[in-house]
Amino acid sequence: MNILLIGFGSLGARHFQSIYSDYKEANYYIVEPNEDNRNLILNLDPNFLNQKEKNFILDSVDDLQYISYDFCIVSTPSLPRLQIIKSLLKHNIKLIIVEKLLFPKLSDYLEMIKMLDTFPPNIYVNCPRRVYPAYKKVKDLVGSQNGKLS
């Protein structure tokens, strides 16, 4: 299994922890240019880099190998996301999950809309708040008022 993680800040590290606990034998490709964030990997597993034949830490999406990836999680700041997604479309990836907020500018969304016809049906946006009890309650309250807030 080939797992691609792009961005290894707090959220990326959390994704890694949850995936790595169940899939230690997978091949990991982690894109993270920030040295401090790269050190988070070693804090989570000091032996991670000792397995250089199966675990890779890269500076850029442009450094990715052209292999098939089982899934990819993009948890970068929103500013570079459009370019990252464009780059990922060149690779064979079965499932892509992108953290919200997708983009910082309306123009990025408009550009993305123009490209949607070329997208494979395997890209999802992670919006976990929709499952939080407090947000469900707000949705219920808003829905009970026909979508109008008082």
Side-chain angles (χ1 to χ4, degrees):
M1 176 179 285
N2 295 316
I3 297 172
L4 174 57
L5 301 173
I6 302 174
F8 208 88
S10 320
L11 191 54
R14 294 277 187 206
H15 284 302
F16 174 77
Q17 282 178 303
S18 64
I19 295 165
Y20 194 63
S21 66
D22 288 335
Y23 298 100
K24 280 191 173 40
E25 300 305 316
N27 301 316
Y28 286 87
Y29 298 81
I30 298 173
V31 177
E32 177 54 68
N34 181 296
E35 193 65 35
D36 290 335
N37 288 351
R38 286 177 172 213
N39 289 331
L40 290 173
I41 299 166
L42 299 178
N43 291 339
L44 297 172
D45 182 357
N47 296 316
F48 185 80
L49 290 179
N50 294 339
Q51 304 169 45
K52 291 185 185 211
E53 69 282 349
K54 63 184 241 70
N55 295 328
F56 306 89
I57 301 177
L58 311 164
D59 288 324
S60 166
V61 175
D62 297 331
D63 298 335
L64 288 174
Q65 298 178 21
Y66 285 92
I67 61 172
S68 292
Y69 296 96
D70 292 285
F71 68 89
C72 170
I73 298 177
V74 180
S75 52
T76 63
S78 60
L79 192 59
R81 287 239 184 97
L82 182 60
Q83 292 308 319
I84 289 170
I85 291 171
K86 285 179 178 180
S87 295
L88 289 177
L89 294 177
K90 300 173 188 172
H91 295 273
N92 182 18
I93 303 172
K94 293 179 185 172
L95 173 67
I96 300 170
I97 299 171
V98 182
E99 285 299 330
K100 59 130 191 84
L101 176 75
L102 282 180
F103 312 116
K105 301 180 290 188
L106 177 61
S107 61
D108 289 349
Y109 286 96
L110 296 174
E111 185 173 344
M112 180 62 82
I113 288 170
K114 292 177 189 173
M115 299 170 32
L116 284 178
D117 290 342
T118 64
F119 274 40
N122 64 342
I123 299 175
Y124 299 90
V125 177
N126 185 26
C127 298
R129 288 187 180 168
R130 63 182 160 56
V131 297
Y132 293 172
Y135 286 89
K136 286 183 177 183
K137 178 90 171 153
V138 168
K139 181 179 178 185
D140 292 342
L141 288 171
V142 170
S144 68
Q145 297 173 10
N146 295 323
K148 296 179 183 177
L149 294 173
S150 53

